[in-house]
């Protein structure tokens, strides 16, 4: 087996580029909606070996970047969908967006490959640990983009429950451990790789056989409404009443629930001018609290992407403004500097974006309790969830994944929502404009859902909240401490254990 990796390293640059990029695509099969986690483990194991036999640090860096380009190009291919909403104006930018996004994300992995060769050449596990550091950095730097993390491949498996102890990056470390263990089998080592495999299998078995949290059929009944408004029609004035009436009809059917949740920007008006619509919303909710997404304007002229809690009588009980905005999608990075420079074609865009909210405390939903509010993009940032001093009852995530069409994006976004539920030990109500809307229990399991691309509503009893998890109490610091210890340990013994 090692001879094969040496031959791969000796191939001409373009052949090696193509093969490693293809290998990265194979690695991406572990992400939703494919969920073929063994493919990711095998692909990473091969990458660890290719990295150790590369003749130079420069070659090793390029090899890792090629792998990352294939991995991110495949897992993030949905990024082209927003540019196809108005294809005549923006379609030409789609391939550039994908290449820049994939190539930029791959740079984090390439830097990890370079550092590993400079610091501890020949240490496969040390390189793997550098990849975990790269994933952690990618999740935080430049506002962060923790999408398609290596640890996300475990979401459909029992090992996902370990996120309650160390978050998504602990799962990334487990991914690397599994890949490294596989490399030791190729080298016919009896220890420690096989021990890692046995331990991970045992942990998965124990976690998979644990008790199922009680669903409480007598708990609060939540109605999650999905209007299925395609993005290219969502803001068309001719369709405004069509989609709003669909929301009202789906909300007003059947028995009165204890809570109704609509998606992000469900109401196509500014909150400042929606008084006439509030009576319609209150009539459809029939006294039940209604959580919905809407945009609003403050006295200073700043726009916000907001979540509103409306109580009986159409009274606005609470408002949350989205804090973590999407760069270039909801605001222009460096807007103030651009405005000062007065650059033609850009200065005029500065005032068209949203303003980030400043308050992140849970909202109080009448009859239900405290709810952690999350709007779309915010659901991918595990470390930014604020639960406050009093334990919340649930998380509410509203989103408009219509931007991502029918591609992998909505499935990957849902997988991350499941992980947030596990990390916090809280059920999540997820309302999406075109899907996938779902009730997720505190173990990250989907209790019920509305499929992608259909209009509908589901009534689901709210699952129980579990006691605060170690991750909810302490965050990522304990895991970071373990990662530091492992890094120094494998740095000291990299040559001994790496090959």
């Amino acid at each position: 087996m090692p001879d094969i990796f040496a031959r791969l390293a000796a191939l001409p640059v373009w052949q090696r580029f193509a093969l490693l990029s293809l290998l990265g695509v194979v690695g991406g099969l572990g992400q939703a909606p494919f969920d073929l986690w063994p493919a990711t483990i095998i692909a990473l194991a091969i990458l660890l070996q290719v990295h150790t036999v590369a003749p130079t640090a420069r070659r090793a860096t390029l090899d890792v970047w090629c792998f990352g380009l294939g991995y991110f190009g495949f897992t993030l291919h949905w990024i082209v969908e927003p540019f196809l909403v108005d294809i005549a104006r923006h379609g030409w930018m789609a391939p550039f967006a994908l290449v820049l996004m994939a190539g930029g994300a791959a740079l984090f992995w390439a830097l990890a490959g370079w550092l590993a060769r400079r610091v501890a050449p020949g240490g496969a596990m040390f390189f793997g640990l550098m990849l975990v550091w790269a994933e952690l950095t990618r999740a935080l730097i430049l506002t962060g983009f923790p999408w398609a993390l290596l640890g996300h491949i475990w979401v459909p498996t029992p090992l996902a429950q370990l996120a309650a102890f160390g978050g998504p990056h602990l799962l990334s470390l487990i991914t690397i451990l599994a890949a490294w263990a596989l490399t030791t089998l190729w080298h016919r080592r009896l220890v420690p790789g096989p021990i890692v495999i046995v331990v991970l299998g045992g942990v998965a078995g124990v976690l998979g056989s644990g008790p199922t949290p009680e669903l409480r059929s007598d708990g609060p009944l939540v109605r999650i409404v999905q209007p299925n408004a395609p993005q290219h029609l969502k803001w068309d004035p001719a369709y405004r009443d069509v989609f709003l009436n669909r929301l009202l009809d789906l909300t007003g059917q059947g028995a009165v629930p204890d809570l109704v949740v609509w998606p992000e920007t469900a109401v196509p008006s500014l909150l400042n001018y929606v008084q006439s619509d509030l009576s319609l919303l209150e009539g459809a909710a029939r006294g039940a609290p209604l959580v919905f997404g809407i945009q609003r304007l403050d006295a200073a002229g700043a726009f916000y992407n907001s979540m509103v809690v409306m109580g009986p009588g159409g009274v606005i009980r609470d408002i949350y403004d989205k804090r973590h905005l999407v760069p270039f999608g909801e605001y222009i990075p460096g807007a103030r500097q651009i405005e000062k420079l007065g650059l033609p074609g850009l200065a005029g865009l500065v005032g068209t974006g949203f303003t980030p909210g400043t308050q992140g405390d849970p909202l109080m939903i009448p009859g239900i309790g405290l709810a952690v509010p999350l709007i779309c993009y915010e659901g991918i940032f595990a470390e930014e969830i604020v639960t406050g001093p009093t334990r919340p009852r649930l998380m509410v995530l509203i989103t408009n994944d219509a931007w991502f069409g029918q591609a992998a994006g909505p499935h990957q976004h849902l997988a991350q929502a499941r992980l947030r539920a596990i990390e916090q030990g809280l059920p999540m109500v997820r309302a999406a404009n075109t899907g996938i809307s779902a009730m997720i229990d505190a173990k990250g399991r989907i209790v019920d859902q509305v499929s992608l691309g259909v209009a509908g509503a589901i009534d689901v009893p709210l699952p129980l909240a579990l006691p605060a998890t170690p991750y909810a109490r302490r965050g990522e610091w304990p895991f970071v401490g373990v990662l530091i210890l492992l890094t120094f340990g494998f740095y000291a013994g990299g040559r001994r254990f790496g090959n």
Side-chain angles (χ1 to χ4, degrees):
M1 184 69 75
D3 291 341
I4 296 177
F5 303 124
R7 292 174 186 173
L8 177 60
L11 287 175
V13 60
W14 288 110
Q15 292 182 29
R16 198 173 67 255
F17 178 95
L19 286 174
L20 286 168
S21 296
L22 180 59
L23 185 64
V25 171
V26 173
L29 291 173
Q31 300 288 340
F34 305 100
D35 297 326
L36 300 175
W37 59 265
T40 302
I41 301 302
I42 294 171
L44 282 172
I46 295 173
L47 178 66
L48 293 181
Q49 288 299 293
V50 170
H51 180 269
T52 61
V53 300
T56 64
R58 180 178 180 182
R59 174 74 65 83
T61 303
L62 179 60
D63 287 348
V64 177
W65 184 82
C66 292
F67 181 96
L69 182 66
Y71 176 87
F72 289 110
F74 178 72
T75 58
L76 303 180
H77 68 272
W78 50 265
I79 202 70
V80 305
E81 293 287 343
F83 298 94
L84 304 182
V85 171
D86 188 350
I87 193 169
R89 294 178 60 189
H90 306 127
W92 65 272
M93 293 187 284
F96 296 99
L98 178 58
V99 171
L100 290 174
M101 180 68 77
L107 284 176
F108 288 92
W109 290 11
L111 178 59
W114 180 82
L115 283 172
R117 283 302 295 264
R118 287 293 186 182
V119 175
M125 185 57 192
F126 185 82
F127 166 49
L129 291 171
M130 290 297 99
L131 284 177
V132 178
W133 281 111
E135 290 288 79
L136 182 60
T137 304
R138 182 166 68 89
L140 300 174
I141 197 170
L142 299 176
T143 79
F145 188 63
W147 201 289
L149 294 175
L150 291 174
H152 289 167
I153 66 172
W154 302 114
V155 171
T157 76
L159 286 176
Q161 301 305 316
L162 293 176
F165 298 91
H169 301 297
L170 174 59
L171 298 184
S172 291
L173 175 60
I174 291 171
T175 306
I176 292 300
L177 282 170
W180 173 67
L182 183 57
T183 68
T184 66
L185 294 181
W186 291 340
H187 288 281
R188 299 178 182 177
R189 292 179 177 174
L190 297 180
V191 290
I195 295 177
V196 171
I197 294 175
V198 171
V199 169
L200 290 179
V203 170
V206 171
L207 293 173
S209 61
T212 301
E214 181 187 358
L215 188 56
R216 271 190 65 185
S217 60
D218 61 339
L221 189 67
V222 181
R223 177 166 297 168
I224 307 173
V225 184
Q226 180 172 298
N228 193 37
Q231 190 59 40
H232 68 287
L233 299 176
K234 179 174 171 59
W235 297 103
D236 189 331
Y239 284 87
R240 177 192 184 278
D241 290 340
V242 172
F243 298 131
L244 182 58
N245 288 334
R246 186 179 295 173
L247 283 162
L248 295 171
D249 291 342
L250 291 169
T251 300
Q253 295 175 359
V256 180
D258 298 296
L259 172 63
V260 180
V261 181
W262 288 4
E264 179 185 15
T265 59
V267 180
S269 306
L270 287 175
L271 182 61
N272 311 65
Y273 312 114
V274 78
Q275 291 302 318
S276 60
D277 285 338
L278 287 182
S279 60
L280 295 176
L281 271 59
E282 198 279 330
R286 296 169 290 173
L290 173 63
V291 175
F292 61 91
I294 194 170
Q295 297 174 7
R296 74 179 190 91
L297 183 68
D298 70 7
F303 280 96
Y304 297 91
N305 185 357
S306 304
M307 178 189 297
V308 172
V309 179
M310 187 185 75
V315 178
I316 302 300
R317 305 292 290 269
D318 217 339
I319 298 176
Y320 166 75
D321 298 318
K322 186 176 182 181
R323 295 181 302 148
H324 198 138
L325 303 175
V326 182
F328 300 103
E330 293 180 311
Y331 76 102
I332 303 297
R336 292 183 179 179
Q337 289 72 22
I338 293 174
E339 191 171 30
K340 290 178 180 178
L341 291 174
L343 296 176
L346 287 178
L349 296 175
V350 170
T352 63
F354 289 107
T355 300
T358 57
Q359 300 296 323
D361 293 334
L363 305 177
M364 176 57 72
I365 300 178
I368 303 294
L370 290 173
V372 176
L374 299 168
I375 300 179
C376 193
Y377 192 58
E378 294 178 318
I380 73 174
F381 297 96
E383 68 282 347
E384 293 184 7
I385 292 180
V386 178
T387 57
T390 303
R391 179 76 171 153
R393 178 65 180 86
L394 74 159
M395 292 184 286
V396 177
L397 189 153
I398 60 174
T399 185
N400 178 26
D401 286 353
W403 284 108
F404 308 140
Q406 305 292 308
H411 297 277
Q412 294 172 3
H413 202 190
L414 175 64
Q416 293 177 74
R418 295 176 62 185
L419 206 53
R420 300 295 86 83
I422 295 170
E423 293 157 359
Q424 297 297 325
L426 293 172
M428 176 182 284
V429 176
R430 185 179 196 270
N433 175 29
T434 55
I436 304 167
S437 299
M439 175 68 80
I440 305 169
D441 73 9
K443 288 289 187 178
R445 292 171 293 209
I446 297 175
V447 178
D448 199 359
Q449 69 178 45
V450 185
S451 299
L452 184 63
V454 301
I458 52 174
D459 290 348
V460 194
L462 182 64
L464 287 173
L466 300 178
T469 64
Y471 185 81
R473 293 194 302 267
R474 302 183 184 89
E476 291 174 341
W477 290 110
F479 165 74
V480 171
V482 171
L483 186 59
I484 290 172
L485 291 175
L486 286 173
T487 302
F488 277 105
F490 277 92
Y491 165 73
R495 291 184 181 273
R496 180 180 176 187
F497 296 115
N499 291 326

